[in-house]
Amino acid sequence: MDWDVYCRVVDNHGDLGVSWRLSADLAARGERVRLWVDDASALAWMAPHGAPGVSVHPWPDASGSAAAEPADVVIAAFGCELPRPVLAGMAAAGRAPVWINLEYLSAESYVERSHRLPSLQSTGPAAGLTQWFFYPGYSDATGGLLREPDLTVRQRTFDRSAWLESAGIALIGRERIVSLFCYAPQPSFGALLRTLEADDVAVPTLLLAAPGAATELLREHLGLGLARGRLRGVAMPWLSQVDHDHLLWASDLNVVRGEDSWIRAQWAGRPFLWQAYAQHDEAHAAKVDAFMDRFLSDAPADLAIALRALSAGWNGLRAGPLGLPPAGPWQAHCQRWRDALVRQPDLTTQLVGFAAARR
């Protein structure tokens, strides 16, 4: 089928990151994709080589610079509002496209209730069309998670030492690797560094910081030399999505944010610490709690207590020091979590099946 994926970049890279991964995955399975985006600049480092079967187009303006004819399937990523000319073109098409509102990922209970619900448009340029709500998620009652068909094979054949060398990262002795990707402000950043520095693990820590907030915070706490005690930092460049996956696979602990890096950290099967996008009145607390409830449902009690406290502290939902659980049980639990998710149908497979059934 032909697909139109519409994405508006709000204030971070996650929206485009998810939209690009979806577009590339669809095309790799034989679909044809046009990605419409209002700011494609991040693709220069996110996907420097593009992807066969995906064409990138500027956001249609109000004068009607959209495609003359809509695709078989139209996806509004994260509920972005489509331009009026696009909606009018969809309504006037001889065969209406399958219009899907692809929502944000959440483990909250409303996701299962709302997944695949229709919304008939009664007014405006899209009057008469049906919009379908599609929710990624963690159960068979949701749309699943983005996962390329070859992901597990690529992970099994990944050479950590070779990738670190290719990235110019040289370990000193038995350093553990912690990747850092966070939002600002992050008041608990210093507490995390103190925990890593004072941890019982008798090895130093190499901190690989993403550009932006993580690197700025690391410089603030460690100084321009990015070193303090048993901590050593490296300011990383922006990585392609492929190399960002490799970074997560190579690290012993991944500190991630938002949606795209959060999902990829779960596929990595390594210990991770997730920072949700903060909302006013701590509305993000429900999202954090819902995920921890699901993620820790079968975890050992002591590990669950430790990870709940760590997650709440990192997300600004409780005060106090940040404690890390023992690496072995944490790693084992993350591996079991990933293996359980792999057994569920992935998001792209479900989207293709859903759209085909409604064509």
Side-chain angles (χ1 to χ4, degrees):
M1 293 176 286
D2 292 319
W3 297 66
D4 281 331
V5 177
Y6 288 88
C7 170
R8 300 214 73 155
V9 178
V10 180
D11 56 359
N12 288 289
H13 302 300
D15 291 351
L16 182 56
V18 171
S19 298
W20 177 260
R21 284 195 194 270
L22 173 61
S23 299
D25 194 21
L26 284 166
R29 302 177 191 222
E31 309 294 303
R32 296 170 299 276
V33 185
R34 295 180 297 199
L35 174 60
W36 303 84
V37 59
D38 60 342
D39 181 3
S41 58
L43 291 179
W45 52 264
M46 193 179 289
H49 306 297
V54 180
S55 59
V56 180
H57 304 265
W59 189 262
D61 59 35
S63 66
S65 65
E69 190 166 330
D72 302 317
V73 188
V74 174
I75 290 185
F78 307 111
C80 66
E81 184 176 351
L82 301 184
R84 291 181 65 86
V86 172
L87 295 174
M90 290 163 57
R95 186 180 187 185
V98 181
W99 178 14
I100 298 173
N101 185 348
L102 182 61
E103 286 288 351
Y104 288 97
L105 171 64
S106 177
E108 294 170 272
S109 59
Y110 75 83
V111 167
E112 295 180 345
R113 298 193 303 270
S114 305
H115 181 52
R116 297 192 178 205
L117 287 183
S119 175
L120 178 63
Q121 307 298 297
S122 58
T123 60
L129 295 180
T130 296
Q131 181 185 48
W132 298 89
F133 292 93
F134 211 89
Y135 283 82
Y138 293 101
S139 75
D140 292 337
T142 70
L145 302 176
L146 269 173
R147 184 183 78 246
E148 303 83 9
D150 66 344
L151 179 63
T152 54
V153 173
R154 290 193 291 117
Q155 282 183 289
R156 283 199 302 267
T157 58
F158 175 65
D159 187 327
R160 180 179 187 259
S161 297
W163 183 79
L164 289 172
E165 183 179 356
S166 70
I169 301 169
L171 296 179
I172 299 176
R174 295 172 54 245
E175 282 179 318
R176 63 177 169 182
I177 300 177
V178 176
S179 71
L180 295 173
F181 189 34
C182 62
Y183 294 117
Q186 177 42 277
S188 298
F189 194 88
L192 177 63
L193 293 187
R194 289 190 293 273
T195 296
L196 291 170
E197 192 172 17
D199 198 8
D200 291 337
V201 177
V203 294
T205 299
L206 175 61
L207 302 158
L208 303 180
T215 291
E216 292 166 7
L217 286 166
L218 199 61
R219 287 182 175 140
E220 176 184 329
H221 288 274
L222 300 189
L224 295 179
L226 296 182
R228 186 185 75 197
R230 295 197 298 168
L231 302 179
R232 182 170 70 94
V234 172
M236 298 289 289
W238 286 120
L239 298 176
S240 69
Q241 288 190 325
V242 171
D243 273 325
H244 186 255
D245 285 347
H246 293 163
L247 171 66
L248 299 178
W249 301 349
S251 298
D252 301 294
L253 169 62
N254 292 305
V255 179
V256 293
R257 75 183 201 189
E259 180 161 327
D260 184 56
S261 63
W262 177 34
I263 295 172
R264 305 313 287 194
Q266 292 172 72
W267 289 134
R270 314 290 291 171
F272 65 92
L273 178 57
W274 169 54
Q275 182 184 7
Y277 187 81
Q279 298 169 282
H280 68 280
D281 298 332
E282 295 188 350
H284 60 292
K287 188 172 184 177
V288 173
D289 289 342
F291 173 71
M292 298 308 289
D293 286 345
R294 191 174 292 272
F295 176 57
L296 299 172
S297 62
D298 62 348
D302 54 346
L303 179 65
I305 292 171
L307 286 179
R308 283 185 188 279
L310 176 61
S311 175
W314 185 242
N315 281 283
L317 303 176
R318 59 169 285 179
L322 299 183
L324 299 181
W330 194 1
Q331 166 68 45
H333 181 70
C334 290
Q335 183 72 56
R336 288 193 301 271
W337 172 254
R338 184 193 68 180
D339 292 346
L341 292 178
V342 167
R343 292 191 289 269
Q344 297 178 354
D346 66 272
L347 178 67
T348 304
T349 295
Q350 293 202 56
L351 277 170
V352 171
F354 179 84
R358 277 149 188 81
R359 286 289 293 168

